[in-house]
Amino acid sequence: GLSAAGGGRPALAVGVPLAASIWTYDLIAKNHAVRGALTMGACRALDVLMGAGFGHLRPALSAAVIMGGHTVGVTVLSRGEVHGTAPTTASGVAAGTALLASAVVGGTLQSGGKESRNQILALLAATAAYAGRCAPAQVRAARNPVATNALDATKAGIRAMVPLQAALTVRHGNLAAAGVLASVDLFGKLMRTRSGNRKLSES
């Protein structure tokens, strides 16, 4: 109803499948490894398309697929938070991160002229931040698939969504919005560091 109020009837073409995916995950797919991960990925992809608006679905499709793919990997790893994961699972997710980073960098930049050089540099930096944020933890989980490493890899994957979104925003030509996302990411990192230091001093 809110999507229709904001974007009219065409917005329902995304809003209804998004709502259906959310309910499907909660009621049916949540406890199933493959169906749960794919449904969660669909939720994230449709969320991106909802933000793009019905009239801009085609340009946003690649970003939606990339965000959905990353979400699938994070969801698969999250199932090992309690009892541990499998080396093949963590290795596959790490390989997926490399493929997604390549897809981001290999995408077509949607601005040119004087901004193209800065845009390329910003795209490379944001993509490197994305891969550097989650890939090391995923590799550690692949080498030693205990529950603690799976949990760390899941957390890293969730946090890596912000630099991934920044990279996709740069690719679509909005450096200002990417800068806001980068500052949010930095603020979160500072808060986590501050919280960790406080826990150490208390102990």
Side-chain angles (χ1 to χ4, degrees):
L2 290 172
S3 66
R9 285 186 178 181
L12 293 176
V14 179
V16 170
L18 175 57
S21 296
I22 294 169
W23 281 107
T24 298
Y25 180 81
D26 286 341
L27 298 178
I28 300 173
K30 187 174 184 178
N31 295 322
H32 188 277
V34 176
R35 286 201 298 264
L38 292 176
T39 306
M40 182 62 78
C43 290
R44 179 64 65 180
L46 289 166
D47 187 45
V48 173
L49 295 179
M50 175 66 76
F54 182 77
H56 305 280
L57 297 184
R58 187 180 294 273
L61 188 58
S62 62
V65 171
I66 289 171
M67 286 300 303
H70 175 75
T71 303
V72 168
V74 172
T75 307
V76 167
L77 268 178
S78 70
R79 296 186 66 84
E81 293 177 358
V82 177
H83 301 294
T85 185
T88 52
T89 298
S91 297
V93 173
T97 295
L99 289 174
L100 291 173
S102 299
V104 174
V105 174
T108 303
L109 298 177
Q110 296 187 12
S111 71
K114 295 180 180 180
E115 293 182 352
S116 59
R117 176 181 172 82
N118 291 335
Q119 189 179 359
I120 291 171
L121 293 175
L123 177 64
L124 292 174
T127 305
Y130 157 65
R133 180 65 56 82
C134 59
Q138 293 165 356
V139 171
R140 285 194 298 272
R143 291 176 175 173
N144 185 15
V146 296
T148 302
N149 286 343
L151 176 60
D152 289 343
T154 301
K155 290 179 179 179
I158 293 171
R159 292 166 183 161
M161 288 184 180
V162 179
L164 177 57
Q165 291 169 353
L168 292 169
T169 303
V170 170
R171 200 177 77 175
H172 282 264
N174 196 332
L175 292 176
V180 172
L181 286 168
S183 61
V184 169
D185 185 47
L186 180 60
F187 177 75
K189 189 173 182 179
L190 291 173
M191 291 300 292
R192 289 192 300 274
T193 301
R194 183 177 179 181
S195 176
N197 291 338
R198 184 183 299 116
K199 289 179 180 178
L200 285 174
S201 62
E202 289 174 353
S203 61

